[in-house]
Amino acid sequence: MSDPGSLLEAARTGDRRALGRLLTIIENQDPTLRPILPRLFAAGRGAHLIGITGPPGSGKSTLVSALTRALRDRGRRVGIIAVDPSSPYTRGAIMGDRIRMMEHSADRDVFMRSMASRGELGGLAATTWQAVAALDAAAYDPILIETVGAGQSEVEIAGLAETTVVVEAPEMGDEVQAIKAGLLEVADIVAVNKGDRPAAQQSARYLRAMLSTAGGRVGRTPAPVILTTATTGEGIDRLIEAIERHTREARSPEQSRARAVNQLRRALAELAQRRAVAHGAWLTSVEAVAERRLDPITAAERLLGS
Ligand SMILES: Nc1nc2c(ncn2[C@@H]2O[C@H](COP(=O)(O)OP(=O)(O)OP(=O)(O)O)[C@@H](O)[C@H]2O)c(=O)[nH]1
Ligand SMILES: [Mg+2]
């Protein structure tokens, strides 16, 4: 049994090995996956999707582990995907994640998986929704997705996740402040982690002030800022409460539509590009735009017409 269809059926009945193998096929974006995508999508039971993002080292994995512990106490089966932007120096981070998740490794009601992202257009979003659907089909709910907030990945994940928690840590330095603005835009909830550090309170106040003026999502109430200490579990209950409160908002028809628009837009862009590449027209169009012989809109029109 190695075709994705059979693996999906087995995963639905609780076969963890089958789920693991299906996730490998998804990670590799194997062509055998294509015929079962409609079934995979339909197999989802509607698990709550929570994105955990933030600067490197802010404590995302430790927080995911603490959240998992608290959610298990509440009887939930927890799925975890750690998205790795597949650069060589993050291999250590994956090892770190594995070690931090060891305490849950014997728990059959926790499924943790690190996945590389190939960094192609729409690649991360496609791989992620498929991985989420697989975990959802296997009755894990909620599903936590950890991504390092250092570029586009968190924006892609935020477009997919129902609730995005941005994890900040006090005293992270000026270079981190710079990316905060972009990160805060995707935050539904901000967790100021390492609450045991002296600067934590001040950091939380600063972020609250920032969110209530600029930086937050336009036209929405400011994201709540919650102090957590992932290493001790302090503040985790409050974080879960905030997540649950946010779920209700996230499941409104408007928000569901916004996520659908986002997914469809990415799928469309990816498909159009893939077809242009197959057609051999992609590179010539890129050159034409680079050499200013063609404007990008006309080039795109021609690609879609070709
Ligand atoms: N003092 C303190 N340290 C913490 C806390 N949470 C995490 N840490 C430590 O911070 C370091 C980084 O934690 P990780 O959970 O690996 O952080 P991360 O954001 O997942 O890191 P990357 O995935 O590499 O970006 C580790 O040494 C943790 O033990 C906390 O609440 N307080
Ligand atoms: Mg991590």
Side-chain angles (χ1 to χ4, degrees):
M1 181 189 68
S2 63
D3 66 290
S6 317
L7 292 172
L8 175 61
E9 282 322 306
R12 288 171 84 152
T13 60
D15 183 337
R16 288 171 63 96
R17 266 199 57 185
L19 177 59
R21 289 173 67 188
L22 179 59
L23 288 170
T24 301
I25 291 172
I26 290 170
E27 185 175 25
N28 295 334
Q29 288 292 293
D30 192 280
T32 58
L33 195 62
R34 179 66 196 88
I36 74 141
L37 286 186
R39 258 170 72 201
L40 180 62
F41 191 71
R45 307 168 190 222
H48 187 197
L49 196 51
I50 304 165
I52 311 282
T53 190
S58 57
K60 299 177 293 295
S61 300
T62 314
L63 197 66
V64 163
S65 195
L67 276 172
T68 300
R69 203 175 307 129
L71 289 161
R72 289 295 299 125
D73 288 344
R74 289 161 169 77
R76 310 284 292 271
R77 303 181 79 229
V78 184
I80 302 160
I81 302 170
V83 179
D84 164 50
S86 79
S87 57
Y89 54 86
T90 56
R91 300 252 73 98
I94 284 198
M95 281 311 296
D97 286 344
R98 294 246 162 88
I99 290 159
R100 266 183 281 288
M101 292 309 296
M102 281 291 266
E103 69 161 287
H104 301 296
S105 63
D107 187 345
R108 289 187 53 82
D109 292 320
V110 176
F111 195 99
M112 198 259 171
R113 176 69 183 242
S114 291
M115 294 184 98
S117 73
R118 305 276 180 263
E120 297 152 9
L121 175 69
L124 175 63
T127 304
T128 308
W129 82 246
Q130 290 157 15
V132 165
L135 285 172
D136 193 358
Y140 292 97
D141 181 10
I143 297 166
L144 313 177
I145 309 175
E146 177 187 339
T147 45
V148 178
Q152 273 303 299
S153 62
E154 75 277 5
V155 179
E156 275 190 49
I157 298 300
L160 206 63
E162 290 165 309
T163 303
T164 301
V165 180
V166 170
V167 184
E168 296 283 359
E171 303 160 342
M172 292 275 303
D174 289 342
E175 65 289 350
V176 179
Q177 300 283 343
I179 59 167
K180 262 182 193 168
L183 260 180
L184 289 180
E185 262 170 53
V186 302
D188 297 309
I189 297 164
V190 176
V192 175
N193 191 42
K194 310 199 183 182
D196 51 330
R197 295 260 178 93
Q201 294 279 358
Q202 198 196 327
S203 201
R205 271 197 300 276
Y206 166 77
L207 284 167
R208 271 188 204 112
M210 243 186 103
L211 283 164
S212 62
T213 53
R217 285 184 179 181
V218 182
R220 313 262 300 269
T221 48
V225 175
I226 308 213
L227 267 177
T228 60
T229 305
T231 41
T232 63
E234 182 77 30
I236 298 299
D237 285 347
R238 252 167 296 150
L239 181 57
I240 289 182
E241 271 168 39
I243 289 171
E244 284 172 352
R245 223 174 302 126
H246 181 265
T247 313
R248 291 189 276 278
E249 182 191 330
R251 296 226 154 152
S252 70
E254 300 78 46
Q255 291 300 308
S256 303
R257 266 184 77 91
R259 283 191 300 276
V261 164
N262 182 62
Q263 272 189 288
L264 195 53
R265 199 180 272 159
R266 281 180 199 285
L268 202 58
E270 189 192 5
L271 189 64
Q273 183 180 342
R274 220 188 295 139
R275 288 206 173 149
V277 169
H279 200 258
W282 176 252
L283 278 181
T284 46
S285 303
V286 169
E287 272 159 32
V289 174
E291 290 164 11
R292 309 185 70 85
R293 283 183 279 110
L294 208 55
D295 71 277
I297 291 180
T298 306
E301 275 173 0
R302 289 193 189 167
L303 283 177
L304 285 176
S306 65

